[in-house]
Amino acid sequence: EIVLTQSPGTLSLSPGERATLSCRASQSVSSSYLAWYQQKPGQAPRLLIYGASSRATGIPDRFSGSGSGTDFTLTISRLEPEDFAVYYCQQYGSSPPNTFGGGTKVEIK
Amino acid sequence: QVQLQESGPGLVKPSETLSLTCAVSGYSISSGYYWGWIRQPPGKGLEWIGSIYHSGSTYYNPSLKSRVTISVDTSKNQFSLKLSSVTAADTAVYYCARHLGLAVAEYWGQGTLVTVSS
């Protein structure tokens, strides 16, 4: 089973700043089958990115994904107030099971 | 717009079977896609449970496979989850979702909290 480690655990930033979130896999994720989700308190997660870099329908272009192999990054170019949330990565190249990372919380500084 | 809605008991006794249904609107299950279940214990991260294609092909998390059954009812445009022999560790918010491919959850239900307690 591929283990995903997200860092940092918490990221404290101000609106307008750039956020860089990391997701590292315990072994190579085949075909860049890596997705990112955003979750706000009391809500279901929302798909942001799949295939490591493809934005899901309706996702603003300030969200971008990159990486391959074992190292992946989610970048939010300029944080908007609604972007403060928890972010999860998920690998689905080795499936089942697909696995999720432990999450990174982006909080207001 | 695809919409999913989970339903089922919010409280299940230990050793019993958890049963949830996901009603789908805005899209016919028989038209395609995988449909699945994901859970999240209170205050913790996400765990993929399994998914099913409209034809009935299923894929389960190996850690839960011995206790999980996912089925689909295309006539009612819904799919279901059964998890047997539950313990307190199965207490979680359970989400149903439409998947891109086998495992990427594109559309989500709002989630339903199931508590395992006597």
Side-chain angles (χ1 to χ4, degrees), chain B residues 46-80:
Chain B
L46 301 163
E47 181 180 34
W48 179 77
I49 299 171
S51 59
I52 188 166
Y53 197 56
H54 67 88
S55 62
S57 298
T58 53
Y59 296 87
Y60 298 136
N61 188 326
S63 69
L64 298 170
K65 188 174 183 178
S66 64
R67 299 194 292 131
V68 171
T69 302
I70 297 176
S71 59
V72 63
D73 185 338
T74 54
S75 67
K76 294 182 178 179
N77 214 38
Q78 63 186 35
F79 60 104
S80 299

Side-chain angles (χ1 to χ4, degrees), chain A residues 1 35 37 39 42-47 49-50 57 88 90 92 95-102, chain B residues 38 40 44-48 59-63 95 100 102-111:
Chain A
E1 176 177 314
Y37 300 85
Q39 187 178 33
Q43 296 185 16
R46 176 173 72 145
L47 177 65
I49 301 286
Y50 63 95
T57 303
Y88 294 96
Q90 175 201 25
Y92 52 101
S95 182
N98 60 90
T99 49
F100 291 88
Chain B
I38 295 161
Q40 185 173 37
K44 296 188 178 180
L46 301 163
E47 181 180 34
W48 179 77
Y59 296 87
Y60 298 136
N61 188 326
S63 69
Y95 296 100
L100 282 177
L102 180 60
V104 176
E106 181 184 21
Y107 291 97
W108 295 68
Q110 66 183 27

Side-chain angles (χ1 to χ4, degrees), chain A residues 58-72:
Chain A
I59 301 303
D61 60 8
R62 65 179 180 274
F63 291 93
S64 63
S66 63
S68 63
T70 60
D71 289 300
F72 297 87

